Amino acid sequence: MKFIKRLVIFSLICTFLGVTTIFGFYLYVKPELPDVATLKDVKLQTPMQVYSQDGKLIAQFGEKRRIPLKLDQMPKELIDAFIATEDSRFYEHYGFDPIGIARAAVAVMISGSATQGASTITQQLARNFFLSNEKKIMRKIKEIFIAVHIEQLLTKDEILELYLNKIYLGYRSYGVGAAAQVYFGKEVKDLTLGEMATIAGLPKAPSTMNPIYSIKRATKRRNVVLARMLDENYITREQYEQAKAEPLVAKYHGAEVELNAPYVAELARAWMVKHYGDDVYTSGKKVYTTVNSKLQEAANHAAVNNLLAYDERHGYRGAIKQLWKDDQPAWDTDKIEDYLTDQPTYGELYPAVVTQVNDQTAQVTVKNHGQQVIAWQDMNWARRFITDNRQGPLPETASDILSPGDQIWVQPLTDDKQESEDLPSEDPEVLNEQRFTHWKLSQVPNANTAFVAMNPENGAVKALVGGFNFVHNKFNRATQSVRQVGSSIKPFIYSAAIDSGMTLATLINDAPINQWDKSQGTAWRPQNSPPTYGGPTRIRIGLAQSKNVMAVRTLREVGLDKTRHYLTRFGFDLDKLPRSETIALGAGSLTPVKLAQGYSVFANGGYYVQHFYINRVEGPFGDVEYKANPKIICRKDCQTNKDNAGFDEHDANTEYAPQVISAQNAFLVREMMYSNIWGGGNWSHGTGWNGTGWRAQVLHRRDIGGKTGTTNDSKDAWYDGFAPDLVATAWVGFDDHSRDLGHTTPNPNIKDDIHGAEAGAKTAQPAWIEFMKHALADVPHQNKQIPDGIIRVRIDRATGLLTNKPDYTSMFEYFIKGTEPKEYVSDGVSDNIYTTPSGDDSSLF
């Protein structure tokens, strides 16, 4: 009894000393303990994502990849795997596990090393949020105290949810949602049991036990997790054996980008940083841009392919580099593939190395695609580039173009005609390999391009291409490149003329100008292109055929200063518009997006709308934090103020776009741009004529119009035009302003060859046409909307005066009521001068 009594006293003293020690440690570290209440409102660092308007992922910005999930969104087997492996008594302890600590201590004494962990899930959470990973006793003591606090503050499920979203699992992935995407390219709900066990095994050593770093280590660790799940009765023996036998297949999966729009993504990133600061990269915000995925893909295809076509017709500049010469040993396949791994890929242009050249074929090794063959028809375009204006003779054999050892660029061309039933796989990557693909010799273009499409009703940018390739050059030519606009300015000049009282039937003398310039000591002689002249000509024809001398004379009629200030109505900066008559020929400079914005005024009936790219911003849980509120067009019954911008009485936040030109003026300018495509006259009587944009007739639509633009010496080529609810601008030029687009001779080896001097119609319009072909595929034809105050009058084609002759010498023309001609071309009285606006417009063309 005396022994038992002493033992009890000793135990009580030890207990007292232990409690006192623990309490003392607590008092000692208490000032350093963080406020765990912050976990109640924790914001997990999640990357910012950029989407198209229709929900296609464009880009992701942020160092940490995380996909926050609620606990009920995670498979039970995945949760069980973590609990079985990391903390089997998770639902039983109060933050730390004395039994687990004792078990780990025994393991250390037996083995001499730490073979078992003693940290609970709550302790790991405490360490991840509040502490470092340094291995010190004091850090461990703090970890335990913080874990106890966390258990008092949060429920077990809340702790588990935070842990599974916070924990680092390798390759910049944080949380199980990101790990599932990074390693397997899946959502957690789609993981197999073996894949779940693989992820659950990562916390022990995420950098070295992941399946990308080592399949062997990851497999071994996965099997340990499965064994723990079996021991804890979370899975059956059959499930264990099946998952253990499952082959572990993993590779790095980047963010699942669904839409290629890097220039738009960069605009969105810069906008977000400006409005939210640098913390936006870890905010988990979702940015929905205004671009439409279908239109963006059409713009990508049209702009880049058109640029490559321009580059190819000017000739082949040769290999990037020659890796070995004829008198040197050829590289083996492994060495070639290792070399290509370090070479960039630009969109659809892949680096390749020529390994063998035959009479009219060449064998090449393509980056990530192995051995391929380039057929003669896919390389015979490549006559030698001499200068921008000269090309060499047509090649006759493949050796005229290529040599073994050449590092070149190739482009895959897919046979879209292959029947889908011949391609049984549902996997997109496998499907792409199954589809027959041949490879074409190509090259990185020296020139560049930009393309913008927007909704003229509100200014929303629907598609934007800032250059050939964002990886190749990040400069955004659509928004940053200020270029001379050439004849693209003429619709605005003629709009000023209509505002000053001219009509589509007004005659302007299409004759050479020879004016002495005292300041320069030379004569200014603007010329038409081509240099043909027709004498007195109607304004409709002058714009449609882009007559330079008519534009200058029209400018003189309106007045230079008056015209310059008039152009500011369209959003153009006065300081970008030279105080010179050369402004009529496009000496002013604008960005493509500004020019498209200006053309929107004509397309929407006279209203100025500001372009914008961001539609809305959502927080990480879907709450809308920002929504664009563009000025809208209100054509009647609008409550407006003196600035013609006001607020709807039903919505105090609705602001109206100001009307900067009349609906009648906008309509008449559109009429001239219709003629730019469809021309006029009577072909059967030899008086038919085409506008400079006649190539767009292939679209077979009468509801489109546009204007070509070519600057002096063809340094810039433009096409700007409109279609139902859409305005688009295409530009091609060199970043080097001193370099012109040049001239080409015919190349019979190029299908649909374009040759001669480069200009807006040849160099930029093909991109516009190709874009509209896809953009308008499902858009019904829109009937012409004729505003009030517009009438039609039968006029004589030659003089623009009234006529009563219903034959090929006459046509119906539109006028603002009161501006129609009052005289007849000859004596006679017509009792049917006016026609209803709803009549057939076919005679107009």
Side-chain angles (χ1 to χ4, degrees):
M1 289 297 294
K2 187 181 291 187
F3 172 76
I4 295 174
K5 182 178 180 181
R6 289 176 180 175
L7 183 61
V8 170
I9 293 172
F10 177 75
S11 299
L12 290 173
I13 292 172
C14 288
T15 302
F16 176 77
L17 290 175
V19 172
T20 303
T21 301
I22 293 172
F23 185 69
F25 269 122
Y26 176 72
L27 293 177
Y28 178 73
V29 300
K30 183 179 180 181
E32 301 177 25
L33 296 180
D35 181 9
V36 297
T38 57
L39 292 177
K40 276 288 189 181
D41 301 307
V42 67
K43 292 183 178 180
L44 296 171
Q45 293 186 353
T46 307
M48 177 183 74
Q49 294 180 316
V50 180
Y51 291 88
S52 65
Q53 185 185 31
D54 47 338
K56 298 290 182 69
L57 181 64
I58 295 175
Q60 180 169 282
F61 297 97
E63 287 296 318
K64 296 182 178 180
R65 292 187 61 179
R66 181 181 276 116
I67 303 172
L69 299 169
K70 296 293 184 183
L71 198 62
D72 59 9
Q73 294 177 301
M74 303 177 194
K76 184 178 183 299
E77 294 89 344
L78 180 62
I79 298 171
D80 292 341
F82 272 93
I83 292 176
T85 308
E86 296 297 320
D87 188 358
S88 60
R89 289 169 43 79
F90 172 69
Y91 283 102
E92 299 169 23
H93 61 66
Y94 297 98
F96 70 100
D97 186 4
I99 296 175
I101 293 173
R103 185 170 56 243
V106 171
V108 170
M109 288 187 289
I110 294 174
S111 64
S113 61
T115 57
Q116 293 186 21
S119 292
T120 65
I121 283 177
T122 314
Q123 286 177 257
Q124 292 182 52
L125 184 68
R127 184 168 64 248
N128 283 330
F129 269 101
F130 303 113
L131 301 170
S132 68
N133 287 321
E134 60 181 352
K135 296 184 178 181
K136 292 183 178 180
I137 294 295
M138 191 56 66
R139 192 272 295 166
K140 196 70 176 178
I141 292 172
K142 291 179 181 178
E143 181 183 292
I144 292 173
F145 286 137
I146 295 172
V148 173
H149 274 256
I150 291 174
E151 292 274 353
Q152 294 171 348
L153 180 71
L154 303 176
T155 67
K156 287 287 187 179
D157 283 352
E158 289 173 333
I159 292 169
L160 194 57
E161 182 178 296
L162 270 176
Y163 171 78
L164 293 174
N165 279 307
K166 173 72 174 177
I167 191 167
Y168 176 61
L169 296 171
Y171 278 88
R172 296 196 307 170
S173 62
Y174 292 78
V176 295
Q181 174 61 46
V182 166
Y183 296 114
F184 304 110
K186 298 179 178 180
E187 295 183 24
V188 290
K189 64 182 179 63
D190 299 322
L191 293 172
T192 65
L193 178 59
E195 290 166 345
M196 293 180 198
T198 301
I199 292 174
L202 292 175
K204 183 177 179 64
S207 298
T208 58
M209 287 187 172
N210 70 73
I212 297 176
Y213 180 85
S214 173
I215 286 287
K216 183 178 179 180
R217 290 185 180 183
T219 302
K220 184 178 179 180
R221 181 61 179 165
R222 177 199 67 180
N223 294 343
V224 169
V225 174
L226 290 170
R228 289 291 304 136
M229 294 181 74
L230 180 63
D231 291 342
E232 296 293 330
N233 296 317
Y234 286 129
I235 58 175
T236 65
R237 171 64 65 174
E238 182 182 357
Q239 288 176 304
Y240 168 77
E241 296 294 346
Q242 184 178 353
K244 188 177 178 182
E246 181 183 306
L248 182 54
V249 179
K251 66 176 182 178
Y252 181 78
H253 294 79
E256 292 291 327
V257 173
E258 301 170 283
L259 178 64
N260 179 32
Y263 292 98
V264 176
E266 175 56 22
L267 288 169
R269 184 204 64 80
W271 189 94
M272 289 295 289
V273 170
K274 178 180 178 181
H275 289 81
Y276 291 93
D278 289 335
D279 290 344
V280 75
Y281 296 121
T282 57
S283 66
K285 296 183 190 299
K286 295 181 179 180
V287 189
Y288 288 85
T289 64
T290 57
V291 300
N292 173 277
S293 61
K294 173 188 172 183
L295 298 183
Q296 182 64 44
E297 288 171 352
N300 292 341
H301 176 81
V304 173
N305 282 0
N306 177 64
L307 181 64
L308 291 173
Y310 160 82
D311 196 64
E312 288 176 4
R313 62 178 174 261
H314 282 263
Y316 182 55
R317 294 183 295 278
I320 309 166
K321 184 188 297 184
Q322 191 166 36
L323 303 182
W324 69 85
K325 297 183 180 179
D326 292 340
D327 58 349
Q328 296 176 324
W331 290 10
D332 60 31
T333 301
D334 290 341
K335 186 174 182 180
I336 292 173
E337 290 182 345
D338 287 344
Y339 174 82
L340 290 173
T341 299
D342 296 329
Q343 306 307 308
T345 299
Y346 298 134
E348 291 190 355
L349 292 194
Y350 289 79
V353 175
V354 180
T355 56
Q356 182 178 329
V357 178
N358 302 314
D359 183 34
Q360 291 196 328
T361 62
Q363 293 184 14
V364 298
T365 300
V366 182
K367 179 180 179 179
N368 298 331
H369 290 274
Q371 295 290 324
Q372 302 291 337
V373 174
I374 303 179
W376 178 244
Q377 67 269 21
D378 295 322
M379 72 169 89
N380 64 0
W381 61 268
R383 54 187 180 176
R384 186 166 58 92
F385 172 87
I386 300 175
T387 69
D388 291 322
N389 292 289
R390 291 183 59 207
Q391 301 82 44
L394 290 173
E396 296 181 357
T397 65
S399 60
D400 293 338
I401 306 168
L402 301 172
S403 298
D406 284 354
Q407 181 189 344
I408 60 173
W409 294 100
V410 294
Q411 180 184 13
L413 299 177
T414 302
D415 184 1
D416 295 326
K417 295 180 181 180
Q418 185 160 349
E419 296 295 332
S420 59
E421 54 263 30
D422 296 336
L423 308 171
S425 175
E426 295 182 0
D427 186 327
E429 293 187 9
V430 176
L431 190 64
N432 188 54
E433 292 298 326
Q434 291 174 339
R435 184 179 288 113
F436 172 73
T437 300
H438 54 285
W439 295 83
K440 176 184 179 181
L441 175 67
S442 191
Q443 60 188 355
V444 175
N446 278 345
N448 228 299
T449 189
F451 195 95
V452 179
M454 66 174 59
N455 182 346
E457 293 297 306
N458 61 9
V461 174
K462 310 306 291 182
L464 184 144
V465 178
F468 161 66
N469 183 270
F470 188 76
V471 175
H472 181 255
N473 191 313
K474 295 176 173 54
F475 181 65
N476 190 337
R477 292 152 193 84
T479 62
Q480 296 174 292
S481 188
V482 180
R483 306 292 299 218
Q484 286 195 346
V485 296
S487 296
S488 294
I489 202 70
K490 289 177 182 175
F492 305 99
I493 303 295
Y494 284 106
S495 176
I498 292 171
D499 189 68
S500 296
M502 294 188 191
T503 72
L504 301 192
T506 298
L507 296 181
I508 300 293
N509 193 16
D510 179 24
I513 294 175
N514 189 341
Q515 175 181 314
W516 180 257
D517 187 335
K518 292 182 180 180
S519 62
Q520 299 292 326
T522 59
W524 183 47
R525 298 187 179 92
Q527 295 182 328
N528 288 341
S529 180
T532 58
Y533 304 88
T537 305
R538 287 177 286 118
I539 280 180
R540 177 188 280 271
I541 299 174
L543 178 63
Q545 294 193 328
S546 200
K547 299 282 190 176
N548 287 337
V549 295
M550 289 183 64
V552 173
R553 287 194 167 93
T554 301
L555 174 67
R556 290 176 175 176
E557 190 71 23
V558 177
L560 176 58
D561 287 335
K562 182 178 179 181
T563 300
R564 289 178 70 240
H565 283 87
Y566 182 85
L567 296 188
T568 62
R569 299 186 185 189
F570 301 90
F572 304 156
D573 297 330
L574 193 63
D575 58 358
K576 296 290 195 307
L577 303 171
R579 195 174 184 278
S580 164
E581 289 184 343
T582 58
I583 192 178
L585 307 181
S589 298
L590 298 166
T591 61
V593 73
K594 275 284 190 180
L595 194 54
Q597 182 177 275
Y599 272 80
S600 293
V601 176
F602 299 128
N604 67 31
Y607 297 85
Y608 176 76
V609 291
Q610 179 69 41
H611 67 275
F612 67 102
Y613 312 100
I614 308 301
N615 186 43
R616 73 181 187 277
V617 176
E618 292 184 358
F621 298 105
D623 50 312
V624 177
E625 298 183 1
Y626 166 85
K627 187 171 179 60
N629 185 32
K631 293 180 180 180
I632 65 170
I633 294 173
C634 185
R635 293 183 171 86
K636 61 180 180 179
D637 300 328
C638 300
Q639 182 183 0
T640 60
N641 59 24
K642 63 180 181 180
D643 297 322
N644 203 23
F647 301 94
D648 190 289
E649 58 185 357
H650 301 296
D651 185 354
N653 293 320
T654 301
E655 190 173 357
Y656 298 123
Q659 186 166 12
V660 294
I661 63 174
S662 69
Q664 295 77 22
N665 185 309
F667 172 81
L668 294 178
V669 176
R670 290 200 304 273
E671 280 299 303
M672 290 186 276
M673 289 195 281
Y674 288 137
S675 293
N676 179 259
I677 293 175
W678 289 103
N682 191 302
W683 292 96
S684 61
H685 288 86
T687 61
W689 54 272
N690 272 321
T692 56
W694 60 268
R695 289 174 175 82
Q697 292 178 15
V698 298
L699 296 174
H700 305 294
R701 297 187 69 116
R702 292 275 179 167
D703 55 354
I704 58 174
K707 181 67 188 74
T708 51
T710 309
T711 62
N712 194 32
D713 297 325
S714 296
K715 296 184 187 301
D716 298 272
W718 301 80
Y719 196 79
D720 312 271
F722 60 87
D725 299 322
L726 200 60
V727 165
T729 287
W731 169 85
V732 177
F734 287 96
D735 289 335
D736 178 358
H737 288 243
S738 66
R739 189 171 175 181
D740 62 68
L741 289 164
H743 182 283
T744 59
T745 54
N747 186 342
N749 291 341
I750 294 180
K751 183 181 178 181
D752 301 323
D753 177 44
I754 294 174
H755 54 270
E758 299 288 350
K762 297 177 181 178
T763 315
Q765 194 189 22
W768 190 91
I769 293 171
E770 185 64 21
F771 170 78
M772 287 297 179
K773 187 181 298 182
H774 295 280
L776 300 178
D778 301 318
V779 178
H781 187 280
Q782 188 179 86
N783 292 326
K784 188 176 296 185
Q785 302 296 314
I786 303 175
D788 294 338
I790 291 288
I791 60 173
R792 286 203 308 171
V793 174
R794 187 185 291 276
I795 64 168
D796 176 65
R797 292 180 184 271
T799 64
L801 298 177
L802 297 174
T803 182
N804 57 4
K805 294 182 179 180
D807 58 17
Y808 69 91
T809 65
S810 69
M811 61 173 283
F812 285 110
E813 185 57 279
Y814 291 102
F815 295 88
I816 298 174
K817 189 172 184 180
T819 66
E820 68 276 8
K822 303 300 188 293
E823 300 179 11
Y824 284 87
V825 66
S826 59
D827 293 337
V829 178
S830 170
D831 56 1
N832 187 28
I833 295 176
Y834 305 109
T835 64
T836 60
S838 60
D840 181 18
D841 292 333
S842 61
S843 61
L844 200 61
F845 304 103

